[in-house]
Structure formats: C-alpha cells, structure tokens
Amino acid sequence: MSGGVAPAPAQMATTRDRMAGFGAGLASGATKLLVGHPFDTVKIRCQIEGGHGRFRGPLDCLASTVRNEGARALYKGASIPLVGWAAMDAVQLGSLSNYRLLLQGGNKNHELSHFQHGLAGLGAGWAVAMVASPVEIIKMRLQMQYAGGAARQYRGPADVARHLIRTYGAFGLWHGLPATLAQRSFFFFLWGSYDVYSKWLRTLHMPRSGRPPPEKLVNFMAGGMAANTFWTLCYPVDVVKNRYMTQPDPSAIPFRRMFAHVFRTEGLS
C-alpha cells in the first residue's frame, strides 16, 4: 500500500439532498422581500431615472419617495415578488445544488474546482432567468409609477401582465428575457467567488481560540463578499437591462443597442 491518504468513500446524493436547495431558496426569497424591497425600489428608480433624472442620488430618492408618495411607496410592486422572489431563489439554489451534483457525478465527496462552482452558478443563473424575467418586468413597471389614483398607468400586477401580452404577444411576460439572461450570466462570478472566499476563510484562525471560524460565519462572510463581487461586475449590465425593460412600449431601443445609448447620453457615471 502507498503512504498517500486514501480518498474519501463516495457519498451518493439522496432525494433530500437534491430538494434541500429549493426549500432554502423559498425561505431566502421571503426574507429578502421583507428586508430588501425598499432598497430595491430606490435602486430601480435611480437606475432608470439616470444621472439626468429627478433624483440627486439614493438618499434624495428615498426622501422624495417617502415625502411625495408615503412610506408604503417603498413597497410598490411587492405583491409579485412576494411569490416570485421565493420561487426565484428556490429555482436558483435548487438548480445550483443539482448542477453541482451533476458535476460531481452524484458523489457529494467529490471536490469541485472554483471554475466548476462558477459553471454550476452559470447554469443556475440561466435557469432562474426564466422565472425572474416576468417577475422583474412586472415589478419594475409598478415601482416606476409615481402617479396615484386614476392617473396610474397600471392598476396592479395583472394589469401589467395584460398590457405586455397585448403589446408583445403570448410571450410578452418574457419580453426582457435576453437582458435577464445576460445579467444572470454573472452568477458564474457570484458562485465561483463564493467558493474562493469560503475556502480562504476556512484557512484563517479566530483570535482567542486559534480555531477556524464557525461554518455559519464562513457562509455569512463569504456570501457577503461574493455578492459584492457579483454586483461590482454586473451592475452596468443591470442598469442597461432595467432601462430596456421599462422603456415605453413598444420598445424603441433594442437591448443590444441600449449600452451605446446609455453611454452616449450619460457617459460611464
């Protein structure tokens, strides 16, 4: 026998392993809606209004929205993500788990490379884009409504859906799918960098105990750093995607030309 370390015995995935990501995603999506939707409303309004719009920045957008429309306006369009974000995170984490298992050949003890984790993230991003595209276009159309009462363009999510189908046909809810696929492709960097950060954090030692950080802390910190990496890289694409999906119908500027339009009219900032 050689003196090398024997490889860990294969531990084959169970049905529970394949379904666990979907359950975690449902809880994640519901939590994200409660905490994150006001921030999302401010982000969307600032992105779409642009540098020459009605707001001087995020704080001005927040103050103006609350002052003119009330605090409830920060949750405009929240009814569709109430179900949609939970479904999106369920699809994302569920498909991510299954793509990882596919790359592992079903053996949970087989260690994937950073690149393979990125590939699993890319597959999960494309899978969730099919759910995210209709959710996001309806949500953003409602978030961008400043008028109230009879002056509103849309009365609610169903009204937005009817308008999109009437304008673009049976697949109108997926009008922004190419843009969503482009933005969700950056999940390669989200989940690839998550693996890089989590493995690096496990090499560190806590100041007093000298032990590696608790696994929950590793997951929390790696998730935050990976999210920052993701948004740093994909934010320009996110701006262009949201401009494309919320422009007046029928869309005058194709997605592939929206990059040049934004750069020509507003520059890089």
Side-chain angles (χ1 to χ4, degrees), residues 141 153-154 163-164 167-168 175 245-252:
R141 296 287 178 107
Q153 181 179 1
Y154 305 114
H163 169 78
L164 291 168
T167 304
Y168 298 107
H175 171 61
M245 294 171 74
T246 55
Q247 65 181 317
D249 298 310
S251 297

Side-chain angles (χ1 to χ4, degrees), residues 11-146:
Q11 184 180 3
M12 304 311 291
T14 64
T15 301
R16 181 179 179 181
D17 295 321
R18 299 183 188 280
M19 297 302 296
F22 292 100
L26 285 170
S28 169
T31 304
K32 186 166 63 177
L33 173 70
L34 180 65
V35 177
H37 195 80
F39 295 97
D40 184 70
T41 298
V42 171
K43 175 181 81 79
I44 294 298
R45 287 188 165 190
C46 287
Q47 284 180 326
I48 294 170
E49 289 288 344
H52 306 300
R54 67 180 72 195
F55 306 119
R56 295 188 300 272
L59 292 179
D60 182 49
C61 177
L62 174 64
S64 175
T65 298
V66 173
R67 182 173 59 251
N68 297 326
E69 303 170 67
R72 291 180 63 184
L74 295 173
Y75 282 91
K76 278 188 174 181
S79 57
I80 188 72
L82 181 62
V83 176
W85 278 359
M88 285 161 56
D89 280 9
V91 170
Q92 180 197 163
L93 296 182
S95 59
L96 177 72
S97 299
N98 282 278
Y99 280 126
R100 284 173 173 171
L101 289 170
L102 180 66
L103 292 170
Q104 290 172 313
N107 177 13
K108 295 194 299 180
N109 285 339
H110 176 72
E111 186 172 351
L112 299 179
S113 66
H114 301 320
F115 181 76
Q116 287 175 313
H117 278 283
L119 283 180
L122 177 64
W126 287 350
V128 77
M130 301 302 296
V131 182
S133 190
V135 170
E136 291 185 349
I137 196 169
I138 293 174
K139 173 183 70 71
M140 289 190 292
R141 296 287 178 107
L142 293 173
Q143 285 174 315
M144 289 305 296
Q145 285 198 134
Y146 297 101

